[in-house]
């Protein structure tokens, strides 16, 4: 069944989530900040999109470097003639080995570095994130961050 969507500004939603996670980041000695924040109108399910952003922030705070930093950016651009909103969540942790990247969004998958570092976590967060992105006709991928760790990049259709 189709997702009930409403018009919203993705940049505002991300900014609100960053503010909500700020105390958690500070308690753990981490810096959570916002890079670029373009005005980005989209249609989406606000509850699911907040959950998506929360999962990605939690993941970055969990696997980033101790006393490290996490940066979120929202940009608005045109990709192959269609307007898109792009969220990137960057950390300065160990990153995700190339060999694990295709499996990182699978249910229950936890990479070796994750298992060594943390015993908690179900391995469901990124699978849920991928499902939310898919329900919004978007894509999610992982690459190297300019901060040195992982960069999760979500692309969603944008309202023109």
């Amino acid at each position: 069944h189709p997702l009930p969507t409403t018009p919203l500004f993705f940049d505002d939603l991300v900014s609100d989530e960053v503010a909500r996670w700020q105390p958690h980041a500070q308690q753990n000695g981490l810096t959570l900040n916002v890079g670029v924040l373009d005005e980005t109108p989209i249609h989406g399910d606000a509850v699911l999109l907040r959950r998506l952003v929360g999962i990605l922030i939690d993941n970055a705070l969990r696997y980033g470097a101790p006393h490290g930093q996490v940066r979120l950016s929202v940009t608005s651009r045109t990709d192959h003639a269609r307007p898109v909103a792009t969220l990137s969540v960057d950390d300065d942790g160990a990153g995700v080995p190339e060999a694990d990247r295709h499996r990182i969004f699978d249910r229950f998958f936890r990479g070796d570095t994750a298992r060594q570092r943390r015993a908690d976590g179900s391995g469901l967060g990124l699978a849920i994130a991928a499902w939310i992105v898919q329900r919004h006709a978007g894509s999610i991928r992982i690459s190297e961050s300019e901060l040195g760790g992982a960069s999760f990049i979500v692309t969603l259709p944008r309202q023109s």
Side-chain angles (χ1 to χ4, degrees):
H1 52 92
L3 201 60
T5 64
T6 52
L8 55 94
F9 282 93
F10 195 41
D11 50 304
D12 291 345
L13 184 144
V14 168
S15 183
D16 291 349
E17 274 303 290
V18 168
R20 204 172 68 78
W21 279 88
Q22 211 55 266
H24 178 75
Q26 285 164 356
Q27 274 173 345
N28 291 287
L30 296 156
T31 306
L32 178 58
N33 58 39
V34 173
V36 181
L37 210 53
D38 290 345
E39 187 172 280
T40 312
I42 64 170
H43 277 265
D45 179 315
V47 172
L48 286 180
L49 289 172
R50 273 196 290 275
R51 179 131 190 236
L52 165 68
V53 175
I55 287 167
L56 294 176
I57 291 174
D58 180 48
N59 189 69
L61 292 173
R62 199 179 283 257
Y63 297 117
H67 308 295
Q69 61 170 317
V70 171
R71 184 179 63 217
L72 281 80
S73 293
V74 176
T75 55
S76 183
R77 61 191 173 81
T78 303
D79 186 23
H80 302 298
R82 65 181 192 122
V84 294
T86 303
L87 163 68
S88 58
V89 181
D90 290 270
D91 68 57
D92 54 1
V96 177
E98 197 96 31
D100 287 349
R101 287 186 192 168
H102 68 289
R103 297 183 9 240
I104 193 103
F105 300 107
D106 293 353
R107 288 176 62 185
F108 309 119
F109 176 77
R110 300 183 70 218
D112 291 338
T113 51
R115 281 195 295 274
Q116 289 161 9
R117 296 250 332 259
R118 300 288 293 251
D120 59 348
S122 63
L124 282 175
L126 293 176
I128 293 167
W131 176 83
I132 293 169
V133 170
Q134 187 187 347
R135 292 297 307 265
H136 284 84
S139 66
I140 186 168
R141 64 188 175 84
I142 183 168
S143 70
E144 281 98 33
S145 164
E146 58 192 39
L147 297 180
S151 180
F152 284 85
I153 300 151
V154 172
T155 304
L156 300 172
R158 176 175 57 85
Q159 299 311 299
S160 33

